[in-house]
Amino acid sequence: MNRRIGVMGGTFDPIHYGHLVIANEVLYKYNMEKIIFVPAGNPPHKKVTGACASDRFLMTNIATISNNKFIVSDVEIKSMEKSYTINTIRKLINEYDDAEFYFITGTDAILELPNWYDTENLLKMCKFIGVSRSGYSTLEIENKINKIKNSYNGQIELLQVPMLEISSTDIRKRIKQGRSAKYLLPEIVEEYILKKNLYLE
Ligand code: ATP
Ligand code: MG
């Protein structure tokens, strides 16, 4: 069996327990060697509203530091151009040429797959795992995913994971309003946010 590597893309603005739980579920259910977290870069022409790329990269690192199967890649944050997932996967395949790649997303992201850049070739290069996220009915998701699978002839698997109703949007809102975000994200990440005064505007 090839070594299996999971890839978790996201803005991680900030990283929270929803991300960490799904990465860990996939790691064990699929017997993966590791999960690579890939924080997205800041597109140069777009106004950044949340934390900058280096803060997001740092927070992703400190959140995953105690798990030696979780690693963080700077491939997208160091790129000056908008990073398309297909280019990221291509770079990772070059780095680990004997591995089988699985891109991990929540339900919201997997349903957007037809709008991604070059979905057809992306699905030839890696498999997708769509994990449950609250707010979506399983039947509706299965039907939509089957349609995507059929039109691209790609491999997309759905995985039920413990659902945590956590989002970065909600955490940013809490911080801005001075409400507690405790237990939604690693304590050290929350401390970093407060220390650096992130998400206050
Ligand atoms: P934002 O609210 O800023 O969009 P987010 O919480 O959705 O943040 P992202 O960085 O956008 O986090 O998400 C990265 C990936 O993690 C996406 O595929 C998303 O679907 C998935 N994800 C995020 N939070 C959860 C969660 N609580 N349960 C399952 N999947 C999640
Ligand atoms: Mg999101």
Side-chain angles (χ1 to χ4, degrees):
M1 191 176 84
N2 278 346
R3 54 209 282 240
R4 294 174 167 182
I5 295 179
V7 181
M8 274 277 301
T11 38
F12 303 120
D13 194 16
I15 187 163
H16 55 67
Y17 282 132
H19 301 126
L20 295 165
V21 163
I22 68 176
N24 198 51
E25 288 288 305
V26 171
L27 179 74
Y28 287 101
K29 292 230 166 90
Y30 284 80
N31 200 12
M32 291 192 177
E33 181 182 294
K34 62 179 128 194
I35 308 288
I36 305 178
F37 289 76
V38 188
N42 292 333
H45 39 275
K46 212 173 123 192
K47 194 183 166 321
V48 180
T49 45
C52 67
S54 61
D55 280 331
R56 293 185 289 101
F57 179 66
L58 234 153
M59 290 190 280
T60 310
N61 270 287
I62 58 177
T64 53
I65 209 154
S66 61
N67 190 329
N68 63 9
K69 297 198 168 183
F70 285 178
I71 65 167
V72 185
S73 164
D74 63 359
V75 54
E76 291 193 10
I77 67 143
K78 73 179 182 203
S79 159
M80 286 305 288
E81 281 130 55
K82 175 162 172 34
S83 303
Y84 293 111
T85 301
I86 192 164
N87 296 335
T88 302
I89 294 289
R90 203 172 274 132
K91 287 179 192 163
L92 292 172
I93 290 175
N94 273 335
E95 209 176 315
Y96 305 90
D97 55 2
D98 56 343
E100 200 179 346
F101 281 93
Y102 289 77
F103 197 89
I104 307 158
T105 69
T107 334
D108 53 323
I110 200 93
L111 292 176
E112 283 297 310
L113 200 53
N115 301 325
W116 289 21
Y117 182 73
D118 202 357
T119 310
E120 191 170 347
N121 282 312
L122 176 62
L123 277 163
K124 290 193 180 117
M125 289 163 66
C126 67
K127 297 181 181 166
F128 271 76
I129 302 175
V131 301
S132 49
R133 190 167 186 180
S134 55
Y136 296 86
S137 94
T138 315
L139 194 66
E140 182 196 339
I141 299 302
E142 278 174 0
N143 287 336
K144 288 188 172 157
I145 295 302
N146 279 335
K147 281 198 189 121
I148 301 177
K149 266 170 42 176
N150 292 339
S151 56
Y152 294 100
N153 197 18
Q155 297 197 51
I156 308 174
E157 294 174 29
L158 294 175
L159 179 68
Q160 292 295 327
V161 298
M163 287 210 237
L164 293 177
E165 214 177 327
I166 304 176
S167 71
S168 305
T169 303
D170 175 55
I171 293 173
R172 291 193 301 272
K173 208 181 288 166
R174 283 167 182 263
I175 303 285
K176 189 174 174 190
Q177 297 172 344
R179 286 186 291 134
S180 173
K182 220 173 175 54
Y183 311 123
L184 299 175
L185 74 176
E187 211 162 342
I188 187 113
V189 176
E190 193 187 4
E191 284 167 5
Y192 183 86
I193 291 170
L194 299 176
K195 179 176 176 180
K196 298 270 320 249
N197 294 320
L198 303 180
Y199 309 128
L200 294 181
E201 36 186 301

